[in-house]
Amino acid sequence: AQKVTQAQTEISVVEKEDVTLDCVYETRDTTYYLFWYKQPPSGELVFLIRRNSFDEQNEISGRYSWNFQKSTSSFNFTITASQVVDSAVYFCALSAGSFQKLVFGTGTRLLVSP
Amino acid sequence: DVKVTQSSRYLVKRTGEKVFLECVQDMDHENMFWYRQDPGLGLRLIYFSYDVKMKEKGDIPEGYSVSREKKERFSLILESASTNQTSMYLCASLEAETGVQETQYFGPGTRLLVL
Protein backbone atom coordinates (compact mmCIF):
# COMPACT_ATOMS: atom_id res chain seq x y z
CA ALA A 1 0.00 0.00 0.00
CA GLN A 2 1.08 3.54 -0.61
CA LYS A 3 0.86 6.34 1.88
CA VAL A 4 1.86 9.98 2.09
CA THR A 5 2.21 11.80 5.39
CA GLN A 6 2.27 15.55 5.77
CA ALA A 7 2.57 15.96 9.49
CA GLN A 8 2.33 19.75 9.46
CA THR A 9 -1.31 20.74 9.36
CA GLU A 10 -0.74 24.47 9.30
CA ILE A 11 2.30 26.74 9.27
CA SER A 12 2.29 30.47 9.83
CA VAL A 13 5.23 32.65 8.85
CA VAL A 14 5.94 36.28 8.28
CA GLU A 15 6.84 37.49 4.83
CA LYS A 16 10.46 36.92 3.81
CA GLU A 17 10.91 34.00 6.15
CA ASP A 18 12.02 30.67 4.72
CA VAL A 19 9.67 27.76 5.28
CA THR A 20 9.95 24.01 4.72
CA LEU A 21 7.00 21.74 4.15
CA ASP A 22 7.62 18.12 5.04
CA CYS A 23 6.47 15.06 3.11
CA VAL A 24 7.15 11.44 4.02
CA TYR A 25 6.00 8.63 1.79
CA GLU A 26 5.64 4.87 1.90
CA THR A 27 5.67 2.47 -1.01
CA ARG A 28 7.03 -0.97 -1.79
CA ASP A 29 7.45 -0.16 -5.46
CA THR A 30 10.94 0.60 -6.67
CA THR A 31 9.61 2.85 -9.42
CA TYR A 32 7.44 5.67 -8.25
CA TYR A 33 6.83 9.36 -8.73
CA LEU A 34 6.40 12.17 -6.28
CA PHE A 35 4.52 15.39 -6.82
CA TRP A 36 3.82 18.69 -5.14
CA TYR A 37 0.66 20.65 -5.85
CA LYS A 38 -0.42 24.06 -4.64
CA GLN A 39 -4.05 24.87 -3.93
CA PRO A 40 -4.69 28.62 -3.61
CA PRO A 41 -7.96 29.92 -2.14
CA SER A 42 -9.56 29.70 -5.59
CA GLY A 43 -9.49 25.92 -5.19
CA GLU A 44 -7.74 24.69 -8.30
CA LEU A 45 -4.73 22.43 -7.77
CA VAL A 46 -1.67 23.79 -9.49
CA PHE A 47 1.10 21.39 -10.41
CA LEU A 48 4.52 22.41 -9.03
CA ILE A 49 6.91 19.53 -9.55
CA ARG A 50 7.25 15.86 -10.46
CA ARG A 51 10.20 13.70 -9.43
CA ASN A 52 10.83 10.05 -10.23
CA SER A 53 12.39 7.59 -7.82
CA PHE A 54 15.59 7.28 -9.82
CA ASP A 55 16.40 10.95 -9.72
CA GLU A 56 17.48 12.13 -6.29
CA GLN A 57 18.94 15.34 -7.54
CA ASN A 58 17.53 18.31 -5.70
CA GLU A 59 15.75 20.91 -7.75
CA ILE A 60 15.48 24.65 -7.50
CA SER A 61 12.98 26.80 -9.31
CA GLY A 62 13.18 30.42 -8.31
CA ARG A 63 12.25 30.66 -4.64
CA TYR A 64 11.13 27.03 -4.57
CA SER A 65 13.40 24.08 -3.91
CA TRP A 66 12.82 20.41 -3.31
CA ASN A 67 14.91 17.93 -1.35
CA PHE A 68 14.32 14.29 -2.27
CA GLN A 69 15.96 11.73 0.03
CA LYS A 70 15.20 8.06 -0.57
CA SER A 71 17.07 7.05 2.57
CA THR A 72 14.46 8.77 4.69
CA SER A 73 11.56 8.46 2.21
CA SER A 74 11.11 12.19 2.23
CA PHE A 75 10.41 14.81 -0.40
CA ASN A 76 10.48 18.16 1.34
CA PHE A 77 9.60 21.50 -0.19
CA THR A 78 11.24 24.77 0.80
CA ILE A 79 10.05 28.26 -0.04
CA THR A 80 12.74 30.88 0.35
CA ALA A 81 11.81 34.46 1.22
CA SER A 82 8.12 33.65 1.43
CA GLN A 83 5.53 36.04 0.07
CA VAL A 84 1.86 36.59 0.85
CA VAL A 85 0.97 35.03 -2.51
CA ASP A 86 2.49 31.78 -1.29
CA SER A 87 -0.41 31.39 1.12
CA ALA A 88 -2.18 28.21 0.06
CA VAL A 89 -2.63 24.57 0.89
CA TYR A 90 0.21 22.43 -0.40
CA PHE A 91 -0.22 18.77 -1.19
CA CYS A 92 2.41 16.11 -1.62
CA ALA A 93 1.38 13.09 -3.69
CA LEU A 94 2.76 9.71 -4.70
CA SER A 95 2.12 7.58 -7.76
CA ALA A 96 3.20 3.97 -8.16
CA GLY A 97 1.82 1.02 -10.05
CA SER A 98 -0.65 0.99 -12.89
CA PHE A 99 -3.05 3.65 -14.13
CA GLN A 100 -0.98 6.41 -12.59
CA LYS A 101 -3.28 6.98 -9.66
CA LEU A 102 -2.19 9.55 -7.13
CA VAL A 103 -2.17 9.10 -3.38
CA PHE A 104 -2.27 12.43 -1.61
CA GLY A 105 -1.16 13.58 1.78
CA THR A 106 -3.59 15.53 3.91
CA GLY A 107 -2.03 18.84 2.94
CA THR A 108 -0.25 21.64 4.76
CA ARG A 109 -1.88 25.05 4.98
CA LEU A 110 0.70 27.81 4.71
CA LEU A 111 -0.22 31.28 5.92
CA VAL A 112 2.19 34.06 5.05
CA SER A 113 1.43 37.34 6.74
CA PRO A 114 2.80 40.75 5.71
CA ASP B 1 -1.98 24.42 -21.89
CA VAL B 2 -4.15 21.67 -20.58
CA LYS B 3 -7.64 22.82 -19.81
CA VAL B 4 -9.88 20.88 -17.47
CA THR B 5 -13.27 22.39 -16.81
CA GLN B 6 -16.01 21.44 -14.40
CA SER B 7 -19.63 22.31 -15.03
CA SER B 8 -20.26 24.13 -11.76
CA ARG B 9 -18.15 25.82 -9.11
CA TYR B 10 -20.91 25.64 -6.51
CA LEU B 11 -23.93 23.38 -6.19
CA VAL B 12 -26.64 23.10 -3.57
CA LYS B 13 -28.80 19.99 -3.64
CA ARG B 14 -31.29 18.28 -1.37
CA THR B 15 -30.96 14.88 0.20
CA GLY B 16 -32.15 12.19 -2.18
CA GLU B 17 -31.63 14.19 -5.36
CA LYS B 18 -29.67 12.74 -8.25
CA VAL B 19 -26.62 14.89 -8.90
CA PHE B 20 -24.45 15.07 -12.00
CA LEU B 21 -20.98 16.60 -11.92
CA GLU B 22 -19.45 17.08 -15.34
CA CYS B 23 -15.79 17.31 -16.27
CA VAL B 24 -14.38 18.11 -19.69
CA GLN B 25 -10.76 18.14 -20.83
CA ASP B 26 -9.47 19.48 -24.11
CA MET B 27 -6.18 17.60 -24.48
CA ASP B 28 -7.37 14.21 -25.74
CA HIS B 29 -6.17 12.56 -22.53
CA GLU B 30 -6.97 8.91 -21.97
CA ASN B 31 -7.10 8.91 -18.18
CA MET B 32 -9.54 10.90 -16.11
CA PHE B 33 -10.12 10.92 -12.38
CA TRP B 34 -12.63 12.08 -9.78
CA TYR B 35 -11.51 12.98 -6.27
CA ARG B 36 -13.22 14.41 -3.27
CA GLN B 37 -11.44 16.71 -0.86
CA ASP B 38 -12.34 17.00 2.78
CA PRO B 39 -10.59 18.92 5.57
CA GLY B 40 -7.98 16.80 7.27
CA LEU B 41 -8.34 13.99 4.76
CA GLY B 42 -6.69 15.41 1.67
CA LEU B 43 -7.86 14.19 -1.71
CA ARG B 44 -9.32 10.74 -2.05
CA LEU B 45 -9.91 8.95 -5.32
CA ILE B 46 -13.53 8.04 -6.06
CA TYR B 47 -13.36 6.63 -9.59
CA PHE B 48 -11.14 6.82 -12.61
CA SER B 49 -11.38 5.95 -16.26
CA TYR B 50 -8.60 4.93 -18.60
CA ASP B 51 -10.64 4.90 -21.79
CA VAL B 52 -14.08 5.57 -23.16
CA LYS B 53 -16.68 3.40 -21.43
CA MET B 54 -14.01 2.03 -19.08
CA LYS B 55 -14.05 2.75 -15.38
CA GLU B 56 -12.34 1.58 -12.24
CA LYS B 57 -13.23 2.08 -8.60
CA GLY B 58 -10.95 4.20 -6.52
CA ASP B 59 -10.67 4.19 -2.75
CA ILE B 60 -14.13 5.51 -1.88
CA PRO B 61 -16.60 4.59 -4.64
CA GLU B 62 -19.60 3.91 -2.40
CA GLY B 63 -22.56 6.13 -3.22
CA TYR B 64 -21.11 7.23 -6.55
CA SER B 65 -21.11 6.11 -10.16
CA VAL B 66 -19.43 7.47 -13.27
CA SER B 67 -19.96 7.69 -16.99
CA ARG B 68 -17.45 8.12 -19.80
CA GLU B 69 -19.27 8.10 -23.13
CA LYS B 70 -16.82 10.41 -24.88
CA LYS B 71 -13.09 10.70 -24.40
CA GLU B 72 -13.18 14.32 -23.33
CA ARG B 73 -16.00 14.02 -20.80
CA PHE B 74 -16.13 12.21 -17.47
CA SER B 75 -19.23 12.48 -15.32
CA LEU B 76 -19.62 11.76 -11.63
CA ILE B 77 -23.10 10.76 -10.51
CA LEU B 78 -24.55 10.79 -7.05
CA GLU B 79 -27.58 8.53 -7.42
CA SER B 80 -29.21 9.73 -4.21
CA ALA B 81 -27.30 12.56 -2.59
CA SER B 82 -26.71 12.41 1.14
CA THR B 83 -25.40 15.02 3.56
CA ASN B 84 -22.13 13.13 3.99
CA GLN B 85 -21.42 13.76 0.33
CA THR B 86 -21.09 17.47 0.99
CA SER B 87 -17.55 18.09 -0.18
CA MET B 88 -15.25 19.60 -2.76
CA TYR B 89 -15.06 17.48 -5.91
CA LEU B 90 -12.05 17.69 -8.17
CA CYS B 91 -11.63 16.23 -11.63
CA ALA B 92 -8.25 15.52 -13.21
CA SER B 93 -6.92 14.19 -16.48
CA LEU B 94 -3.62 12.95 -17.81
CA GLU B 95 -2.20 11.48 -20.97
CA ALA B 96 -1.41 7.80 -20.65
CA GLU B 97 1.99 6.93 -22.02
CA THR B 98 3.54 3.55 -21.36
CA GLY B 99 6.53 3.72 -19.09
CA VAL B 100 6.21 7.42 -18.46
CA GLN B 101 4.53 8.99 -15.48
CA GLU B 102 2.71 12.02 -16.66
CA THR B 103 1.22 14.78 -14.58
CA GLN B 104 -2.40 14.97 -13.56
CA TYR B 105 -4.02 18.30 -14.34
CA PHE B 106 -6.93 19.41 -12.26
CA GLY B 107 -10.11 21.33 -12.84
CA PRO B 108 -11.21 24.21 -10.60
CA GLY B 109 -13.36 21.99 -8.40
CA THR B 110 -17.05 21.88 -7.52
CA ARG B 111 -18.17 22.66 -3.99
CA LEU B 112 -21.27 20.57 -3.36
CA LEU B 113 -23.56 21.21 -0.42
CA VAL B 114 -26.24 18.61 0.27
CA LEU B 115 -29.00 19.82 2.57
Side-chain angles (χ1 to χ4, degrees):
Chain A
Q2 286 116 29
K3 185 179 179 182
V4 175
T5 301
Q6 294 181 257
Q8 303 151 309
T9 304
E10 185 168 307
I11 301 174
S12 293
V13 298
V14 177
E15 225 175 1
K16 297 185 183 177
E17 282 186 37
D18 299 346
V19 58
T20 296
L21 310 181
D22 297 333
C23 173
V24 174
Y25 63 92
E26 295 176 30
T27 180
R28 292 180 181 174
D29 290 271
T30 55
T31 300
Y32 54 89
Y33 292 78
L34 295 162
F35 299 77
W36 276 95
Y37 285 86
K38 173 182 179 180
Q39 187 179 43
S42 61
E44 183 171 346
L45 264 73
V46 177
F47 165 73
L48 295 178
I49 189 171
R50 177 182 73 227
R51 173 68 72 225
N52 74 55
S53 52
F54 301 107
D55 182 5
E56 284 194 75
Q57 191 171 8
N58 292 332
E59 181 155 340
I60 298 175
S61 176
R63 296 184 297 108
Y64 295 170
S65 62
W66 291 269
N67 183 358
F68 176 28
Q69 292 195 336
K70 288 177 76 170
S71 60
T72 56
S73 297
S74 65
F75 186 44
N76 296 338
F77 173 30
T78 297
I79 301 174
T80 302
S82 60
Q83 299 176 2
V84 172
V85 294
D86 295 326
S87 296
V89 180
Y90 291 86
F91 289 97
C92 181
L94 165 71
S95 177
S98 60
F99 298 118
Q100 305 188 24
K101 296 181 291 182
L102 285 174
V103 174
F104 283 85
T106 52
T108 298
R109 181 177 298 278
L110 175 64
L111 300 172
V112 182
S113 54
Chain B
D1 280 353
V2 177
K3 185 90 172 163
V4 181
T5 58
Q6 294 182 229
S7 51
S8 305
R9 291 300 301 273
Y10 301 94
L11 270 181
V12 180
K13 297 291 182 181
R14 297 210 173 270
T15 300
E17 279 192 72
K18 190 168 186 176
V19 182
F20 292 87
L21 303 182
E22 304 284 337
C23 175
V24 178
Q25 50 95 2
D26 66 355
M27 288 300 293
D28 202 35
H29 286 172
E30 286 82 5
N31 292 8
M32 297 185 74
F33 305 79
W34 275 106
Y35 296 87
R36 64 176 280 176
Q37 180 183 359
D38 301 287
L41 297 176
L43 278 76
R44 294 177 293 167
L45 181 64
I46 304 171
Y47 266 97
F48 66 100
S49 169
Y50 53 92
D51 204 348
V52 174
K53 298 191 184 295
M54 305 304 288
K55 61 184 179 183
E56 290 283 338
K57 292 181 180 179
D59 300 318
I60 52 164
E62 296 77 20
Y64 303 95
S65 63
V66 290
S67 173
R68 184 118 181 252
E69 296 296 319
K70 293 184 178 180
K71 193 174 186 179
E72 68 271 18
R73 187 179 298 268
F74 190 34
S75 302
L76 180 68
I77 304 157
L78 287 65
E79 295 290 342
S80 178
S82 63
T83 55
N84 63 13
Q85 292 178 310
T86 290
S87 187
M88 169 77 138
Y89 290 88
L90 289 153
C91 174
S93 77
L94 79 107
E95 180 178 5
E97 191 170 331
T98 303
V100 177
Q101 173 66 41
E102 293 297 332
T103 298
Q104 287 191 26
Y105 292 94
F106 285 81
T110 296
R111 291 188 186 275
L112 173 66
L113 172 62
V114 182
L115 301 173

